Structures are given as C-alpha cells and as structure tokens.
Amino acid sequence: MSKPDVGSQEALCRALIEGSSQIKRYLNRHSSDASDVADYYQEAVVRVLEKAREQPIRNPVAYAMTIAKNLMSAPSRTTALSDEMNPECPAPTPEQQAESDERFRHFQEVLRRMPPLRRRVFIRRRLHGESREAIARSLGLSEEAVKKHITRAMSDLQQAIDRHNTV
C-alpha cells in the first residue's frame, strides 16, 4: 500500500476545511438529532483521513458526506447488542501494552509540538468532549475556527502516525 505524499495530505485537509460548511449543512438537513451533527462531522473527517492513507480520494467532501450519511443511518443499538454479547474484554499482552504505551507517548509528543491554541481546542473537544459552541465562546473564536483547529490537529496526528509507521 502506498502512502500519499505530504502535499496530497495538505490538499486533502484544505479541501475538507474549505468544504466543512457544505458538509455541516448536509448534516443539519439530514440529521434527526442536531446535537449529534458535530460528532458526525468529526467522525466523517477522521474516516476520510484514514481512508486517504490507503488510497487517493478525488472528492473528499462528497466522500465525507457519504460517510456521514452512513453514520446517521447506522442503528445505534448495534454497539449495545455487541457489548451485551461480549461482556468480557481480555487483558492485553505485555507486547500489546508496550506498543500501546509507545503510541501514547508518541501522541503526547505530537500534541506537545502543536501550536498552543490548536492543542487546547483539540483536547477540549476530542478528549474532554466539550461542544464546539462552548469552546468557541470560552476562547473567543468562531465555531468555524474551532472546526478548523480540530481538523488541522487531526491532520497533524495522522501525519505523525504515518511517519511513525514508516520507521
């Protein structure tokens, strides 16, 4: 599997940032729960970024909307049923734990190197689950700026993962 070059990653991120309002409008029109729109948006962008690692994506905005459509139509109870059928989770092996610890240290380093505002926005949204609206209000940013910081942070992390995996 060939990895996309950094230039194509940047073009992909730029296309997603520029198309973010189009994706959001689509989600607002088709989502049955307005409070889930931000989560659908972010999950769709993450999946586009992940897929782009495997193959080129010609129209990332359309692809993100397709993913969002699938996310909205997926039955939410599937996870609950799956959890009920498999209640136990085996402990990781020492090798798996060491690998997990290594990824976590790498993740922390990438976060540490991010511009402070991007890091703060990303941590508040993706790790603490704060709404984009609340983050925007408290930091004096527009919601669009918060979205862009999150998208760029995810791109930074994806590029670091790609570089780390090629070592």
Side-chain angles (χ1 to χ4, degrees), residues 25 64 110 115 124 126 131 145:
R25 278 193 308 273
V110 172
R124 289 176 69 172
R126 297 298 286 197
S131 71

mmCIF file of all heavy atoms in Angstrom, residues 25 64 110 115 124 126 131 145:
data_model
loop_
_atom_site.group_PDB
_atom_site.id
_atom_site.type_symbol
_atom_site.label_atom_id
_atom_site.label_comp_id
_atom_site.label_asym_id
_atom_site.label_seq_id
_atom_site.Cartn_x
_atom_site.Cartn_y
_atom_site.Cartn_z
ATOM 1 N N ARG A 25 -23.849 21.725 6.502
ATOM 2 C CA ARG A 25 -25.218 21.979 6.008
ATOM 3 C C ARG A 25 -25.919 20.664 5.681
ATOM 4 O O ARG A 25 -27.093 20.474 6.002
ATOM 5 C CB ARG A 25 -25.181 22.880 4.767
ATOM 6 C CG ARG A 25 -25.071 24.353 5.077
ATOM 7 C CD ARG A 25 -25.362 25.232 3.872
ATOM 8 N NE ARG A 25 -24.590 24.889 2.684
ATOM 9 C CZ ARG A 25 -23.374 25.359 2.414
ATOM 10 N NH1 ARG A 25 -22.798 26.198 3.228
ATOM 11 N NH2 ARG A 25 -22.748 24.997 1.314
ATOM 12 N N ALA A 64 -16.887 12.483 2.507
ATOM 13 C CA ALA A 64 -17.243 12.757 3.906
ATOM 14 C C ALA A 64 -18.761 12.773 4.083
ATOM 15 O O ALA A 64 -19.283 12.266 5.088
ATOM 16 C CB ALA A 64 -16.641 14.083 4.363
ATOM 17 N N VAL A 110 3.349 14.600 19.857
ATOM 18 C CA VAL A 110 2.730 15.344 18.750
ATOM 19 C C VAL A 110 1.857 16.465 19.311
ATOM 20 O O VAL A 110 1.898 17.598 18.821
ATOM 21 C CB VAL A 110 1.907 14.398 17.842
ATOM 22 C CG1 VAL A 110 1.121 15.178 16.811
ATOM 23 C CG2 VAL A 110 2.831 13.398 17.160
ATOM 24 N N PRO A 115 0.722 23.968 17.848
ATOM 25 C CA PRO A 115 0.522 25.329 18.354
ATOM 26 C C PRO A 115 -0.440 25.277 19.557
ATOM 27 O O PRO A 115 -1.388 24.495 19.565
ATOM 28 C CB PRO A 115 -0.120 26.056 17.160
ATOM 29 C CG PRO A 115 0.318 25.261 15.967
ATOM 30 C CD PRO A 115 0.409 23.840 16.428
ATOM 31 N N ARG A 124 -9.853 19.916 24.341
ATOM 32 C CA ARG A 124 -11.164 20.196 24.932
ATOM 33 C C ARG A 124 -12.280 19.482 24.186
ATOM 34 O O ARG A 124 -13.223 18.978 24.786
ATOM 35 C CB ARG A 124 -11.417 21.707 24.970
ATOM 36 C CG ARG A 124 -10.533 22.400 26.017
ATOM 37 C CD ARG A 124 -10.693 23.874 26.014
ATOM 38 N NE ARG A 124 -12.018 24.242 26.502
ATOM 39 C CZ ARG A 124 -12.376 25.483 26.748
ATOM 40 N NH1 ARG A 124 -11.520 26.476 26.578
ATOM 41 N NH2 ARG A 124 -13.595 25.744 27.182
ATOM 42 N N ARG A 126 -11.961 16.746 21.628
ATOM 43 C CA ARG A 126 -11.824 15.308 21.385
ATOM 44 C C ARG A 126 -11.524 14.495 22.642
ATOM 45 O O ARG A 126 -11.892 13.340 22.709
ATOM 46 C CB ARG A 126 -10.735 15.044 20.340
ATOM 47 C CG ARG A 126 -11.030 15.623 18.968
ATOM 48 C CD ARG A 126 -12.246 15.038 18.366
ATOM 49 N NE ARG A 126 -11.989 13.689 17.921
ATOM 50 C CZ ARG A 126 -12.725 13.020 17.084
ATOM 51 N NH1 ARG A 126 -13.798 13.568 16.584
ATOM 52 N NH2 ARG A 126 -12.410 11.790 16.751
ATOM 53 N N SER A 131 -18.478 20.832 23.737
ATOM 54 C CA SER A 131 -19.087 21.192 22.453
ATOM 55 C C SER A 131 -18.253 22.264 21.764
ATOM 56 O O SER A 131 -17.555 23.052 22.417
ATOM 57 C CB SER A 131 -20.513 21.711 22.662
ATOM 58 O OG SER A 131 -20.490 22.988 23.272
ATOM 59 N N ALA A 145 -13.687 28.458 13.244
ATOM 60 C CA ALA A 145 -12.275 28.429 13.637
ATOM 61 C C ALA A 145 -12.000 27.205 14.513
ATOM 62 O O ALA A 145 -10.961 26.548 14.371
ATOM 63 C CB ALA A 145 -11.891 29.706 14.375
#
